[in-house]
Every structure is written in C-alpha cells, then in structure tokens.
Amino acid sequence: MKRILILGGTQEGYALAERLVDVAGLEIISSLAGRTLAPRKPKGQMRNGGFGGADGLARYLRDEQIAHLINATHPFADQISANAVAAAGAVGVPLLRLLRPGWQAQADDRWIMASDIAEAASLCRREGGRIFLTTGSNDLAAFAGIHNAHFVVRVVDAPETMPLHDYVTITARGPFSLADEVALMNEHHVNLLVTKNSGGGATSAKLEAARKLALPVIMVERPAIALDPRSPVAEDVETAIAHLLAAP
Ligand code: NAP
C-alpha cells in the first residue's frame, strides 16, 4: 500500500483525493491548514493543522511512511510550498506540485501588475476611490492606513478584527457568476479591483466583469516558490494522476 499525502484545501486538492481514493494500492491522506471555520471534508483520510515547519513536515513524512507528497495548496501558499520542497528533499520523498495556471490578461484588460501585496497596497493608496478587495482575509493588514479609499472587502470568513479605515465586508465563497460580479461592482460603485493571480474558473468572473465595465485591475503576481524547479508541476488533476501512477 502506497501512502500519498496531499497538502490540500483547494478545489484541486479535493478533486485529486476524490479520484485517487478509488485507486487500488493507494492510501490517501489530505492535510488541511485548519484555518477555515467549517472546512469541507475530503475523501479518504484527513488531518488538520500545521506540521510545525519544514522539520515537522519531514518528520511526518518519515513517521507516516509517505511514498509521494503532492502539494495542491493555493498558488499563494508560499510558506507550506517552501516547506514541502525542503521536507521532501530532506527525506527523499518525491514531490509533485499541482498548480493551476495563472490568469492571462486579454486585449481589453487594464491590469496593473504588483509583485506582492505590499506593492498592491501602495498602488491602492495612489489610486484611491472605491476598491473591490479580493485578496483574502490574511492580507488585509497591508491596506491599513489607506484613508483615501472605501474598500469593498470580499472574504470567505469575516476576520475577527478589521484593520481597514473605511470598508464594507461581504462574506461569500465562489464560484461567482459574471452577472453577479457586474451587479456587485455597480452596486458599490467600484472603480478598481484588487486580486491575486490565483487562476482557475471559480473566481475569474470578477476579471470578466472588470473588463466589461472597463475597470483597472491590480493583479498581484504569484510568489516565486509557486514555480520552484525542484518540484515538477501538473497543471490539472488528470496530469497529476498520470504523473503519480507512472512513479515507481
Ligand atoms: P502558507 O502561508 O503557505 O502556510 C502557512 C502555514 O500554514 C504553513 O507553514 C503550515 O504550518 C500551515 N499550512 C498551510 N497549508 C497547510 C496544509 N495544507 N496542511 C497543513 N498545514 C498547512 O499558506 P496559507 O496560510 O494557507 O495561505 C497563504 C496564502 O494563500 C494566503 O495569501 C491566502 O490568502 C492564500 N490562500 C487562498 C485560498 C483561496 O482559496 N483563495 C486558500 C488558501 C490560501 P506549519 O509550518 O506549522 O506546517
């Protein structure tokens, strides 16, 4: 029996567990970060919460005799991704990165690229106005101290404390439709969208809506670890399964 550890919590992580759980000879364990209040339960076994850094993950891989590690976390989950590279390397366990492709700007798009959240925040300070902020609840502190903007903040779970000056919070989980995104941006008189380049279809309608309304988009680029050459990348679940089944 080969034990597979999926660092999950993403749609791809759930889909992969669902597909692999029926493959004979494999035992599937999904690991969730433990941050969402009511996480969906993946197929197969589940564990919850951090490992205690790269050393903790390496210990887990060794103790649980994991045969293959699959990092299916979010494209911006740079810490766990770096830990996966270090731990898999230390223990000699093969690692696969399941990483959906990033969004690409289209002809009518007005993207302003930001290399990280801090740059996105300074661009917001420069632009001001009514800003639709969709970068997630972890990164709101970077936008504290901006006084020339009203933020329409969309998050999955409302944070306990909100560091922003002038804002309204919308709690919602994708997928979102184009019609709803256009309606939301119109209702709140949004003049700027801020997003990470997460990729995928569940939250891409906001980009179509911004295009339709001719709004600029501050697009936060992916961290470098997302494409670390030490872990081969599968862009979708089928490719990941093929890679895994071909492994010795
Ligand atoms: P992270 O910053 O890379 O990870 C921080 C720590 O959380 C890790 O060091 C690890 O703790 C633990 N951890 C993360 N994923 C784990 C997993 N699958 N299993 C066990 N432990 C895990 O990742 P993050 O905090 O999840 O998020 C980073 C970025 O990704 C944020 O910008 C967030 O907004 C974004 N994100 C977006 C979505 C989305 O659906 N939009 C979902 C998730 C994350 P130890 O070091 O103790 O092992």
Side-chain angles (χ1 to χ4, degrees), residues 102-111 132 178 181-183 185-186 190-195 197 200-201 203-219:
W103 294 314
Q104 303 287 333
Q106 297 189 15
D108 295 336
D109 283 335
R110 297 171 56 200
W111 288 9
F132 186 19
L178 173 60
E181 296 293 53
V182 168
M185 290 187 199
N186 280 333
V190 164
N191 62 280
L192 176 65
L193 166 67
V194 187
T195 178
N197 193 345
T203 59
S204 61
K206 62 189 169 188
L207 301 176
E208 283 178 69
R211 191 178 307 133
K212 205 174 157 87
L213 299 172
L215 298 183
V217 177
I218 295 177
M219 181 63 68

Short mmCIF file of all heavy atoms in Angstrom, two decimals, residues 102-111 132 178 181-183 185-186 190-195 197 200-201 203-219:
data_model
loop_
_atom_site.label_atom_id
_atom_site.label_comp_id
_atom_site.label_asym_id
_atom_site.label_seq_id
_atom_site.Cartn_x
_atom_site.Cartn_y
_atom_site.Cartn_z
N GLY A 102 -1.97 30.37 -14.08
CA GLY A 102 -2.41 31.72 -13.72
C GLY A 102 -3.30 32.32 -14.80
O GLY A 102 -3.31 31.84 -15.93
N TRP A 103 -4.05 33.36 -14.43
CA TRP A 103 -4.85 34.07 -15.43
C TRP A 103 -3.93 34.89 -16.33
O TRP A 103 -2.87 35.36 -15.90
CB TRP A 103 -5.83 35.02 -14.73
CG TRP A 103 -6.89 34.32 -13.91
CD1 TRP A 103 -7.64 33.26 -14.28
CD2 TRP A 103 -7.30 34.66 -12.58
NE1 TRP A 103 -8.51 32.91 -13.27
CE2 TRP A 103 -8.32 33.75 -12.22
CE3 TRP A 103 -6.92 35.64 -11.65
CZ2 TRP A 103 -8.96 33.80 -10.98
CZ3 TRP A 103 -7.55 35.68 -10.43
CH2 TRP A 103 -8.56 34.77 -10.10
N GLN A 104 -4.36 35.05 -17.58
CA GLN A 104 -3.60 35.85 -18.55
C GLN A 104 -4.43 37.06 -18.93
O GLN A 104 -5.64 36.91 -19.17
CB GLN A 104 -3.34 35.03 -19.82
CG GLN A 104 -2.59 33.71 -19.61
CD GLN A 104 -1.13 33.91 -19.30
OE1 GLN A 104 -0.54 34.91 -19.69
NE2 GLN A 104 -0.54 32.98 -18.57
N ALA A 105 -3.78 38.21 -19.04
CA ALA A 105 -4.50 39.42 -19.46
C ALA A 105 -4.98 39.28 -20.89
O ALA A 105 -4.28 38.72 -21.74
CB ALA A 105 -3.59 40.63 -19.32
N GLN A 106 -6.18 39.76 -21.16
CA GLN A 106 -6.71 39.77 -22.52
C GLN A 106 -6.63 41.19 -23.09
O GLN A 106 -6.33 42.14 -22.37
CB GLN A 106 -8.14 39.25 -22.52
CG GLN A 106 -8.17 37.80 -22.05
CD GLN A 106 -9.53 37.16 -22.25
OE1 GLN A 106 -10.37 37.67 -22.97
NE2 GLN A 106 -9.73 36.03 -21.59
N ALA A 107 -6.93 41.29 -24.39
CA ALA A 107 -6.70 42.55 -25.11
C ALA A 107 -7.31 43.77 -24.41
O ALA A 107 -6.68 44.81 -24.31
CB ALA A 107 -7.24 42.43 -26.53
N ASP A 108 -8.55 43.64 -23.91
CA ASP A 108 -9.22 44.81 -23.32
C ASP A 108 -8.93 45.01 -21.84
O ASP A 108 -9.49 45.92 -21.22
CB ASP A 108 -10.75 44.68 -23.51
CG ASP A 108 -11.12 44.72 -24.97
OD1 ASP A 108 -10.34 45.28 -25.75
OD2 ASP A 108 -12.18 44.17 -25.33
N ASP A 109 -8.11 44.16 -21.26
CA ASP A 109 -7.87 44.26 -19.82
C ASP A 109 -6.96 45.43 -19.50
O ASP A 109 -6.07 45.78 -20.28
CB ASP A 109 -7.24 42.96 -19.30
CG ASP A 109 -8.27 41.85 -19.17
OD1 ASP A 109 -9.46 42.16 -19.00
OD2 ASP A 109 -7.88 40.67 -19.25
N ARG A 110 -7.22 46.01 -18.32
CA ARG A 110 -6.37 47.12 -17.84
C ARG A 110 -5.71 46.68 -16.53
O ARG A 110 -6.09 47.13 -15.46
CB ARG A 110 -7.24 48.37 -17.62
CG ARG A 110 -7.89 48.89 -18.90
CD ARG A 110 -8.89 49.98 -18.59
NE ARG A 110 -8.30 51.08 -17.85
CZ ARG A 110 -9.01 51.97 -17.13
NH1 ARG A 110 -10.32 51.87 -17.06
NH2 ARG A 110 -8.41 52.94 -16.50
N TRP A 111 -4.77 45.75 -16.65
CA TRP A 111 -4.12 45.22 -15.46
C TRP A 111 -2.92 46.10 -15.07
O TRP A 111 -2.13 46.51 -15.92
CB TRP A 111 -3.61 43.81 -15.69
CG TRP A 111 -4.69 42.76 -15.78
CD1 TRP A 111 -6.04 42.97 -15.86
CD2 TRP A 111 -4.50 41.35 -15.80
NE1 TRP A 111 -6.69 41.78 -15.94
CE2 TRP A 111 -5.79 40.76 -15.90
CE3 TRP A 111 -3.38 40.52 -15.75
CZ2 TRP A 111 -5.96 39.38 -15.94
CZ3 TRP A 111 -3.56 39.15 -15.80
CH2 TRP A 111 -4.84 38.58 -15.88
N PHE A 132 -12.59 47.26 -4.82
CA PHE A 132 -13.07 45.90 -4.55
C PHE A 132 -11.84 45.05 -4.23
O PHE A 132 -11.02 44.77 -5.11
CB PHE A 132 -13.81 45.39 -5.79
CG PHE A 132 -14.49 44.06 -5.64
CD1 PHE A 132 -14.80 43.51 -4.40
CD2 PHE A 132 -14.86 43.34 -6.78
CE1 PHE A 132 -15.45 42.29 -4.28
CE2 PHE A 132 -15.52 42.12 -6.68
CZ PHE A 132 -15.81 41.60 -5.43
N LEU A 178 -20.71 35.96 -13.71
CA LEU A 178 -20.41 37.27 -14.31
C LEU A 178 -21.51 38.27 -13.95
O LEU A 178 -21.22 39.40 -13.55
CB LEU A 178 -20.28 37.12 -15.83
CG LEU A 178 -20.14 38.41 -16.63
CD1 LEU A 178 -18.90 39.19 -16.20
CD2 LEU A 178 -20.08 38.12 -18.14
N GLU A 181 -21.16 39.43 -10.40
CA GLU A 181 -19.98 40.27 -10.20
C GLU A 181 -20.21 41.68 -10.75
O GLU A 181 -19.85 42.68 -10.11
CB GLU A 181 -18.74 39.65 -10.85
CG GLU A 181 -18.29 38.32 -10.27
CD GLU A 181 -17.77 38.41 -8.85
OE1 GLU A 181 -18.47 38.96 -8.00
OE2 GLU A 181 -16.65 37.92 -8.59
N VAL A 182 -20.84 41.75 -11.93
CA VAL A 182 -21.13 43.07 -12.51
C VAL A 182 -22.09 43.81 -11.59
O VAL A 182 -21.89 45.01 -11.28
CB VAL A 182 -21.73 42.92 -13.93
CG1 VAL A 182 -22.30 44.25 -14.43
CG2 VAL A 182 -20.68 42.40 -14.91
N ALA A 183 -23.12 43.11 -11.10
CA ALA A 183 -24.12 43.75 -10.23
C ALA A 183 -23.45 44.27 -8.95
O ALA A 183 -23.71 45.39 -8.51
CB ALA A 183 -25.23 42.76 -9.89
N MET A 185 -20.27 45.07 -8.45
CA MET A 185 -19.37 46.20 -8.72
C MET A 185 -20.17 47.47 -8.99
O MET A 185 -19.78 48.56 -8.56
CB MET A 185 -18.45 45.87 -9.90
CG MET A 185 -17.42 44.79 -9.56
SD MET A 185 -16.23 44.57 -10.91
CE MET A 185 -15.57 42.96 -10.53
N ASN A 186 -21.31 47.33 -9.67
CA ASN A 186 -22.16 48.50 -9.92
C ASN A 186 -22.79 49.01 -8.63
O ASN A 186 -22.79 50.21 -8.35
CB ASN A 186 -23.25 48.17 -10.94
CG ASN A 186 -22.71 48.20 -12.37
OD1 ASN A 186 -21.74 48.91 -12.66
ND2 ASN A 186 -23.32 47.43 -13.26
N VAL A 190 -17.79 50.50 -7.66
CA VAL A 190 -16.37 50.15 -7.62
C VAL A 190 -15.64 50.78 -8.80
O VAL A 190 -16.15 50.79 -9.92
CB VAL A 190 -16.24 48.60 -7.66
CG1 VAL A 190 -14.84 48.16 -8.01
CG2 VAL A 190 -16.70 48.00 -6.34
N ASN A 191 -14.44 51.34 -8.55
CA ASN A 191 -13.65 51.86 -9.67
C ASN A 191 -12.31 51.13 -9.84
O ASN A 191 -11.54 51.44 -10.75
CB ASN A 191 -13.40 53.36 -9.53
CG ASN A 191 -12.60 53.71 -8.30
OD1 ASN A 191 -13.16 53.77 -7.22
ND2 ASN A 191 -11.30 53.91 -8.45
N LEU A 192 -12.06 50.12 -8.99
CA LEU A 192 -10.78 49.40 -9.06
C LEU A 192 -10.96 48.04 -8.39
O LEU A 192 -11.58 47.94 -7.32
CB LEU A 192 -9.71 50.22 -8.31
CG LEU A 192 -8.32 49.64 -8.17
CD1 LEU A 192 -7.63 49.50 -9.52
CD2 LEU A 192 -7.47 50.52 -7.25
N LEU A 193 -10.40 47.01 -9.02
CA LEU A 193 -10.43 45.65 -8.45
C LEU A 193 -9.01 45.26 -8.05
O LEU A 193 -8.06 45.54 -8.79
CB LEU A 193 -10.97 44.67 -9.50
CG LEU A 193 -10.79 43.17 -9.25
CD1 LEU A 193 -11.63 42.71 -8.05
CD2 LEU A 193 -11.16 42.36 -10.49
N VAL A 194 -8.87 44.63 -6.88
CA VAL A 194 -7.56 44.10 -6.48
C VAL A 194 -7.69 42.59 -6.29
O VAL A 194 -8.59 42.13 -5.56
CB VAL A 194 -7.06 44.73 -5.16
CG1 VAL A 194 -5.62 44.29 -4.88
CG2 VAL A 194 -7.16 46.24 -5.20
N THR A 195 -6.83 41.84 -6.93
CA THR A 195 -6.88 40.38 -6.82
C THR A 195 -5.49 39.78 -6.91
O THR A 195 -4.58 40.36 -7.50
CB THR A 195 -7.77 39.78 -7.95
OG1 THR A 195 -7.77 38.36 -7.85
CG2 THR A 195 -7.28 40.17 -9.34
N ASN A 197 -3.28 36.66 -8.52
CA ASN A 197 -3.42 35.84 -9.72
C ASN A 197 -3.56 34.37 -9.32
O ASN A 197 -2.65 33.56 -9.50
CB ASN A 197 -2.26 36.04 -10.69
CG ASN A 197 -2.59 35.43 -12.06
OD1 ASN A 197 -3.54 34.65 -12.18
ND2 ASN A 197 -1.84 35.79 -13.07
N GLY A 200 -7.81 29.71 -12.27
CA GLY A 200 -8.99 28.87 -12.05
C GLY A 200 -10.28 29.59 -12.40
O GLY A 200 -10.31 30.82 -12.55
N GLY A 201 -11.34 28.79 -12.53
CA GLY A 201 -12.61 29.32 -13.00
C GLY A 201 -13.52 29.83 -11.91
O GLY A 201 -14.42 30.64 -12.18
N THR A 203 -13.31 31.93 -9.49
CA THR A 203 -13.34 33.35 -9.14
C THR A 203 -12.89 34.24 -10.31
O THR A 203 -12.55 35.41 -10.10
CB THR A 203 -12.43 33.63 -7.91
OG1 THR A 203 -11.09 33.23 -8.22
CG2 THR A 203 -12.91 32.88 -6.68
N SER A 204 -12.92 33.70 -11.52
CA SER A 204 -12.44 34.50 -12.65
C SER A 204 -13.50 35.47 -13.20
O SER A 204 -13.16 36.36 -13.98
CB SER A 204 -11.94 33.59 -13.78
OG SER A 204 -12.99 32.77 -14.24
N ALA A 205 -14.76 35.31 -12.80
CA ALA A 205 -15.81 36.19 -13.33
C ALA A 205 -15.57 37.65 -12.97
O ALA A 205 -15.97 38.55 -13.71
CB ALA A 205 -17.18 35.73 -12.83
N LYS A 206 -14.89 37.90 -11.85
CA LYS A 206 -14.61 39.29 -11.47
C LYS A 206 -13.72 39.97 -12.52
O LYS A 206 -13.84 41.18 -12.75
CB LYS A 206 -13.95 39.37 -10.08
CG LYS A 206 -12.62 38.67 -9.98
CD LYS A 206 -12.12 38.59 -8.54
CE LYS A 206 -10.93 37.66 -8.43
NZ LYS A 206 -10.54 37.41 -7.03
N LEU A 207 -12.86 39.18 -13.16
CA LEU A 207 -11.99 39.74 -14.20
C LEU A 207 -12.80 40.09 -15.46
O LEU A 207 -12.57 41.12 -16.09
CB LEU A 207 -10.86 38.78 -14.55
CG LEU A 207 -9.94 38.40 -13.39
CD1 LEU A 207 -8.94 37.35 -13.84
CD2 LEU A 207 -9.24 39.64 -12.86
N GLU A 208 -13.73 39.20 -15.79
CA GLU A 208 -14.62 39.46 -16.93
C GLU A 208 -15.47 40.70 -16.63
O GLU A 208 -15.70 41.53 -17.51
CB GLU A 208 -15.56 38.28 -17.15
CG GLU A 208 -14.96 37.09 -17.83
CD GLU A 208 -16.02 35.99 -17.92
OE1 GLU A 208 -16.99 36.15 -18.67
OE2 GLU A 208 -15.86 34.99 -17.20
N ALA A 209 -15.94 40.79 -15.39
CA ALA A 209 -16.77 41.93 -15.00
C ALA A 209 -15.97 43.23 -15.12
O ALA A 209 -16.46 44.24 -15.65
CB ALA A 209 -17.30 41.74 -13.58
N ALA A 210 -14.73 43.20 -14.63
CA ALA A 210 -13.88 44.40 -14.71
C ALA A 210 -13.66 44.79 -16.18
O ALA A 210 -13.67 45.98 -16.53
CB ALA A 210 -12.55 44.15 -14.00
N ARG A 211 -13.46 43.78 -17.03
CA ARG A 211 -13.27 44.03 -18.47
C ARG A 211 -14.51 44.68 -19.06
O ARG A 211 -14.44 45.68 -19.78
CB ARG A 211 -12.99 42.69 -19.17
CG ARG A 211 -12.51 42.77 -20.60
CD ARG A 211 -12.23 41.38 -21.14
NE ARG A 211 -11.31 40.63 -20.29
CZ ARG A 211 -11.51 39.37 -19.91
NH1 ARG A 211 -12.57 38.70 -20.30
NH2 ARG A 211 -10.63 38.77 -19.12
N LYS A 212 -15.67 44.13 -18.72
CA LYS A 212 -16.94 44.63 -19.24
C LYS A 212 -17.18 46.08 -18.79
O LYS A 212 -17.68 46.89 -19.56
CB LYS A 212 -18.05 43.74 -18.67
CG LYS A 212 -19.32 43.66 -19.48
CD LYS A 212 -20.22 42.62 -18.83
CE LYS A 212 -21.66 42.86 -19.18
NZ LYS A 212 -22.10 42.25 -20.39
N LEU A 213 -16.77 46.38 -17.56
CA LEU A 213 -17.01 47.73 -17.01
C LEU A 213 -15.81 48.65 -17.26
O LEU A 213 -15.81 49.79 -16.79
CB LEU A 213 -17.28 47.63 -15.51
CG LEU A 213 -18.53 46.81 -15.12
CD1 LEU A 213 -18.61 46.61 -13.61
CD2 LEU A 213 -19.80 47.49 -15.63
N ALA A 214 -14.80 48.14 -17.97
CA ALA A 214 -13.58 48.90 -18.29
C ALA A 214 -12.88 49.42 -17.03
O ALA A 214 -12.36 50.54 -16.99
CB ALA A 214 -13.88 50.05 -19.25
N LEU A 215 -12.86 48.57 -15.99
CA LEU A 215 -12.20 48.97 -14.73
C LEU A 215 -10.76 48.45 -14.69
O LEU A 215 -10.48 47.34 -15.16
CB LEU A 215 -12.94 48.36 -13.53
CG LEU A 215 -14.38 48.78 -13.32
CD1 LEU A 215 -14.93 48.15 -12.04
CD2 LEU A 215 -14.50 50.30 -13.25
N PRO A 216 -9.86 49.22 -14.09
CA PRO A 216 -8.50 48.71 -13.90
C PRO A 216 -8.46 47.61 -12.82
O PRO A 216 -9.31 47.59 -11.93
CB PRO A 216 -7.71 49.94 -13.46
CG PRO A 216 -8.73 50.87 -12.89
CD PRO A 216 -10.04 50.58 -13.58
N VAL A 217 -7.48 46.74 -12.94
CA VAL A 217 -7.31 45.62 -12.01
C VAL A 217 -5.88 45.64 -11.49
O VAL A 217 -4.94 45.61 -12.31
CB VAL A 217 -7.57 44.27 -12.71
CG1 VAL A 217 -7.32 43.10 -11.76
CG2 VAL A 217 -8.97 44.21 -13.29
N ILE A 218 -5.71 45.69 -10.19
CA ILE A 218 -4.36 45.48 -9.64
C ILE A 218 -4.20 43.97 -9.47
O ILE A 218 -4.94 43.34 -8.71
CB ILE A 218 -4.18 46.22 -8.29
CG1 ILE A 218 -4.26 47.73 -8.52
CG2 ILE A 218 -2.84 45.83 -7.66
CD1 ILE A 218 -4.17 48.56 -7.25
N MET A 219 -3.26 43.41 -10.21
CA MET A 219 -3.07 41.96 -10.25
C MET A 219 -1.78 41.60 -9.50
O MET A 219 -0.69 41.96 -9.94
CB MET A 219 -2.97 41.50 -11.71
CG MET A 219 -2.79 40.02 -11.91
SD MET A 219 -4.16 39.01 -11.31
CE MET A 219 -5.48 39.45 -12.44
#
